[in-house]
Amino acid sequence: MQEAIVWLSKAFGFVEHYRYGNPVSGAQMSAGRAWIMLRQAGHEETPKELGFGTQSLTVFIEDIEAHFQRAKSAGAAIVEDLHETEYGELQYGAEDLDGHHWLFSRHARDVSPEQWGAVVSRGAVL
């Protein structure tokens, strides 16, 4: 757990808010306006051990260019280079030490979902 806290701080700029347990079994951290909770894995396998991703988080960061350089410099596995998407986001993807996928993004321009081929849901049908 301590290794994850240190690595997420170094590579992705997360700031620890608190930790709990003895030994440490969980922590709350933030980056920009995003907050995450970490917990010590039990007997579950990590995405790296499984050989495939189990989730992906998107964290919005204002200075995405500097964030991208920081992650690269810290040795994060960059799985998607910094680029502007068809839906108007400037973003990149990376994996942490356990193979969890992270997407870091900043809004670059307004594009309606219809302009890039998405279908907007108008509400759930029960």
Side-chain angles (χ1 to χ4, degrees):
M1 174 63 60
Q2 180 64 30
E3 181 183 13
I5 292 169
V6 169
W7 192 88
L8 288 168
S9 297
K10 179 181 176 187
F12 297 152
F14 277 93
V15 176
E16 181 182 343
H17 180 60
Y18 64 77
R19 64 177 68 185
Y20 58 89
N22 187 13
V24 176
S25 59
Q28 184 181 68
M29 302 181 78
S30 66
R33 291 184 283 179
W35 291 84
I36 62 170
M37 291 295 300
L38 303 177
R39 71 173 181 85
Q40 184 65 45
H43 297 289
E44 303 91 10
E45 292 179 290
T46 67
K48 186 178 279 186
E49 293 165 335
L50 291 170
F52 61 88
T54 58
Q55 56 76 36
S56 179
L57 296 174
T58 301
V59 178
F60 287 88
I61 301 289
E62 264 319 296
D63 191 352
I64 193 71
E65 297 89 348
H67 195 271
F68 176 66
Q69 291 304 320
R70 176 187 189 141
K72 281 178 48 173
S73 295
I78 305 299
V79 296
E80 187 178 328
D81 277 325
L82 186 63
H83 68 286
E84 187 172 320
T85 68
E86 62 185 349
Y87 47 88
E89 301 296 317
L90 184 60
Q91 66 185 30
Y92 77 94
E95 287 184 352
D96 66 21
L97 296 173
D98 287 328
H100 295 106
H101 185 264
W102 296 79
L103 191 64
F104 294 97
S105 186
R106 182 189 78 222
H107 183 72
R109 61 187 168 89
D110 292 335
V111 180
S112 73
E114 294 85 2
Q115 287 178 289
W116 55 272
V119 177
V120 178
S121 299
R122 300 296 178 204
V125 176
L126 300 176

